[in-house]
Amino acid sequence: MKILQFPLARVTLTFILGIIFYQKYQPEPFSMFICLLIGILFLLISHFLSKKKPIYQFIFGISTLLISFNIGISTCIFHKETLRQNHYLNQIEDDSFHEIKLVVHEKLKSTPKNSRYVSVIHTIDNHPSFGKLILNIRKPNQIEDFPIGSHVKIIGSIYKSKNP
């Protein structure tokens, strides 16, 4: 494959493999950042030693690919919203009732018993929060459909989604 002869193609491929690895195994963030720091240190040392002996150029290339792999994993960790402290999943302790202020973002296909919406949370129990959730409202309790962009204040419980 001639495409793999380009260094940037190899680096990109290992970056994508790091993203796939994170999706499958979801390693601990702290351990991945330690691995990233150790890899960067190893990369710098091998870079300075590669000027003295040619074997270190190979080690430099391998460490570059490992750093790219770790950066792919770290990118996923940085973009995972649930790791942030003010995400709504980190603010609820159990299935108790909470006062939630949210904005209706999108209407989903309703079931015979429920009207369903995708909504964006602004506050939970008067604490700033963020995240998207699916809002289910039983049809006998609802007077009319909410228009998109409606600000809604509800008292209810939040359930974490179950795996399919």
Side-chain angles (χ1 to χ4, degrees):
M1 291 180 74
K2 289 193 172 216
I3 192 84
L4 291 179
Q5 291 177 352
F6 297 106
L8 191 58
R10 285 183 241 154
V11 170
T12 304
L13 183 64
T14 56
F15 178 80
I16 292 170
L17 289 175
I19 292 172
I20 293 169
F21 179 83
Y22 178 80
Q23 297 296 326
K24 187 162 178 85
Y25 298 108
Q26 296 197 356
E28 286 292 319
F30 183 73
S31 62
M32 288 315 303
F33 291 127
I34 295 296
C35 289
L36 184 63
L37 291 176
I38 290 171
I40 290 172
L41 182 65
F42 191 66
L43 180 74
L44 291 174
I45 291 170
S46 65
H47 172 68
F48 290 119
L49 293 176
S50 68
K51 296 176 183 175
K52 295 180 180 178
K53 292 184 178 178
I55 187 69
Y56 290 114
Q57 290 178 346
F58 178 74
I59 295 172
F60 176 75
I62 295 297
S63 61
T64 302
L65 296 178
L66 290 175
I67 289 294
S68 175
F69 183 79
N70 281 335
I71 289 174
I73 295 171
S74 300
T75 301
C76 290
I77 290 171
F78 279 132
H79 288 96
K80 188 171 183 179
E81 292 181 347
T82 57
L83 292 177
R84 296 187 185 140
Q85 187 177 11
N86 60 346
H87 191 270
Y88 74 91
L89 289 177
N90 298 327
Q91 294 182 348
I92 57 172
E93 295 85 25
D94 52 7
D95 295 336
S96 63
F97 287 95
H98 299 279
E99 180 182 311
I100 306 163
K101 293 180 185 174
L102 46 88
V103 175
V104 175
H105 185 67
E106 178 182 347
K107 181 164 176 42
L108 298 175
K109 185 177 179 181
S110 298
T111 63
K113 294 181 182 179
N114 295 321
S115 294
R116 299 173 35 149
Y117 303 92
V118 174
S119 54
V120 178
I121 293 182
H122 285 284
T123 61
I124 294 180
D125 298 328
N126 294 323
H127 297 293
S129 184
F130 75 96
K132 286 186 177 181
L133 58 80
I134 296 177
L135 176 64
N136 283 322
I137 301 175
R138 290 199 176 118
K139 286 193 176 178
N141 295 341
Q142 185 180 10
I143 299 170
E144 61 186 49
D145 285 345
F146 294 120
I148 304 298
S150 298
H151 291 266
V152 180
K153 180 179 176 182
I154 60 171
I155 296 176
S157 57
I158 297 175
Y159 300 102
K160 293 182 181 178
S161 59
K162 297 176 179 121
N163 290 333

